[in-house]
Amino acid sequence: MKGLRKIQPYVPGEQPALTGIIKLNTNENAYPPSPLVTKAWQTFDVANLRYYSSLANQSLVDALAQKHHIPSQWVTTSNGSDDILALAFQSFFQSEQPIFFPDLTYGFYPVWCELFHIPYQEVPLEKDFSFALAALPNQLGGVVLANPNAPTGKGKTVTEIEALLQRYPDRVIIVDEAYQSFGGESVIPLVAKYENLYVTRTFSKDASLAGLRVGYGIGSERLTGVIQAVKNSYNPYAVDMIAERLATAATQDTEYYQRINQKICATREQFCQALAQLGFTTIPSQTNFVLTTHPLISAKTFFDKLKEARIFVRYFPDKQRIANYLRITIGTDEEMVQVATVLKNIIEEEQNV
Ligand SMILES: *Cc1c(COP(=O)(O)O)cnc(C)c1O
């Protein structure tokens, strides 16, 4: 047949059947969503589903605007943040010049560039996995920055990003803040000052709602106007009525989420110490996962043996520079103690063969 599209899709971590496993491979939250979400679910009136959801998801947009202390006019909701990111790539990168992002970052960025025919260049991260923004060329089509970055867990400061916004006033800088709540700095306060900044967020990681599929973008009225025109050109009702209701409830429970996400950060610090005692080198993380490597035993060996023990983590054999690293999501204290025990056993076993 002729005319069929050829494309290499993004490959997410696997979603195995959930019973009897420890799932630390896709950076989901270790804890359940807020009790307010459960209540919103229980009191949802199914009869309302015969109507379309509100076009602007106004209740959710207003709750988000209140949470971030910004006008509602700057907020656009989406079906997961993958959706708002895909919209942003299509909306803001129509130039001939390549856009720039790191060689080690969210695997979806190059996929969208291919899908939407956007020229791009991947910038090799430094030895310590930092992104040398000052080394970017003077001419470019835009920059995409996961902050903190995945899978490295390293973040940039607001000051560094502000310098970037000033350097390219007529290019859009997208900042993907999927992991901000776990120790990163947010640039949302800069949206008031920089028309060229677009920030994306998700309910998947810090709000414990990956299965609900809700994300959003925050940007100037000018950028929001463009993104909403593109959104309304193919799927205006991307966030359904149930998702809107539950995400709104989650947005209203800042206290609960602060508590569980602080807990995850504390667990992360303990787990990093356990890793250090086992001889691992771990990149200091500002996210709910760590990237770690062992000097004697390969990531593949750990990956396979952890899987035998029903513990799912991630590694990236195709990414040469981190092929020997494991990316491990931070679960509960109990889960991480168990992971450390299994890692210790693997090391002992391997050293005895
Ligand atoms: C998880 C993740 C996302 C998207 O998640 P959604 O579930 O689509 O909201 C976006 N960017 C990064 C860096 C992520 O890790």
Side-chain angles (χ1 to χ4, degrees):
M1 226 181 306
K2 291 197 169 152
L4 303 185
R5 185 76 192 256
K6 269 198 210 111
I7 189 126
Q8 289 273 356
Y10 171 70
V11 185
E14 59 185 313
Q15 292 293 113
L18 290 176
T19 41
I21 65 162
I22 297 184
K23 189 173 182 309
L24 306 173
N25 66 337
T26 50
N27 301 339
E28 290 139 336
N29 200 293
Y31 298 99
S34 150
L36 294 189
V37 175
T38 311
K39 200 166 147 214
W41 165 250
Q42 286 164 343
T43 55
F44 182 80
D45 185 358
V46 171
N48 285 332
L49 286 176
R50 74 191 172 97
Y51 300 112
Y52 281 104
S53 50
S54 84
L55 191 53
N57 293 134
Q58 203 60 49
S59 63
L60 176 56
V61 162
D62 290 344
L64 289 167
Q66 198 171 11
K67 171 181 162 150
H68 294 296
H69 314 289
I70 53 171
S72 296
Q73 287 79 356
W74 295 358
V75 183
T76 307
T77 51
S78 63
N79 185 244
S81 68
D82 288 340
D83 183 27
I84 197 79
L85 281 162
L87 286 169
F89 273 62
Q90 292 172 88
S91 304
F92 307 142
F93 299 144
Q94 294 290 314
S95 99
E96 303 283 295
Q97 284 170 350
I99 66 163
F100 283 72
F101 46 81
D103 61 341
L104 298 172
T105 190
Y106 190 36
F108 236 131
Y109 303 158
V111 172
W112 285 317
C113 288
E114 298 288 341
L115 183 64
F116 306 132
H117 306 290
I118 299 165
Y120 67 100
Q121 271 187 37
E122 298 177 310
V123 186
L125 290 180
E126 304 295 289
K127 265 215 171 68
D128 68 350
F129 296 113
S130 61
F131 186 8
L133 294 177
L136 289 171
N138 288 330
Q139 299 294 322
L140 45 69
V143 181
V144 185
L145 209 64
N147 191 49
N149 195 17
T152 63
K154 271 186 101 116
K156 288 270 169 216
T157 63
V158 170
T159 316
E160 287 172 290
I161 297 174
E162 185 160 17
L164 196 66
L165 292 161
Q166 287 171 348
R167 188 171 168 204
Y168 305 104
D170 61 351
R171 295 298 181 191
V172 176
I173 312 297
I174 296 178
V175 181
D176 175 351
E177 294 193 338
Y179 298 103
Q180 188 274 329
S181 312
F182 302 102
E185 294 186 20
S186 177
V187 290
I188 292 174
L190 295 186
V191 172
K193 209 166 146 195
Y194 296 96
E195 207 179 31
N196 58 331
L197 170 60
Y198 203 76
V199 184
T200 65
R201 289 279 186 120
T202 176
F203 282 79
S204 298
K205 316 286 165 50
D206 64 5
S208 219
L209 289 169
L212 193 65
R213 311 306 304 133
V214 185
Y216 56 102
I218 296 175
S220 58
E221 276 178 67
R222 177 139 179 234
L223 295 190
T224 301
V226 180
I227 214 161
Q228 291 187 354
V230 174
K231 178 184 177 186
N232 294 334
S233 301
Y234 77 95
N235 189 10
Y237 300 102
V239 177
D240 66 72
M241 205 184 271
I242 300 174
E244 181 184 6
R245 181 76 179 277
L246 271 52
T248 305
T251 306
Q252 287 157 346
D253 202 351
T254 326
E255 198 191 315
Y256 171 84
Y257 284 111
Q258 253 174 15
R259 186 153 49 80
I260 63 168
N261 293 330
Q262 273 169 12
K263 176 70 195 163
I264 289 167
C265 294
T267 306
R268 177 185 69 207
E269 297 318 305
Q270 278 173 356
F271 182 62
C272 286
Q273 283 180 15
L275 286 174
Q277 278 165 10
L278 296 172
F280 284 88
T281 304
T282 307
I283 302 171
S285 168
Q286 293 170 267
T287 60
N288 69 334
F289 59 83
V290 291
L291 194 65
T292 190
T293 185
H294 197 275
L296 304 174
I297 294 152
S298 73
K300 179 171 171 29
T301 301
F302 281 120
F303 180 85
D304 292 339
K305 299 217 159 196
L306 284 167
K307 201 162 170 175
E308 279 168 30
R310 315 277 302 139
I311 296 170
F312 289 76
V313 300
R314 192 111 200 247
Y315 88 117
F316 304 91
D318 300 337
K319 289 269 175 197
Q320 200 208 332
R321 288 176 66 196
I322 53 165
N324 208 27
Y325 283 76
L326 294 172
R327 192 196 70 188
I328 308 176
T329 306
I330 302 302
T332 61
D333 282 336
E334 296 71 29
E335 286 173 328
M336 300 326 282
V337 166
Q338 204 173 327
V339 173
T341 306
V342 175
L343 289 172
K344 184 165 184 266
N345 293 342
I346 296 170
I347 294 167
E348 284 170 3
E349 261 171 51
E350 290 296 308
Q351 285 176 335
N352 288 333
V353 278

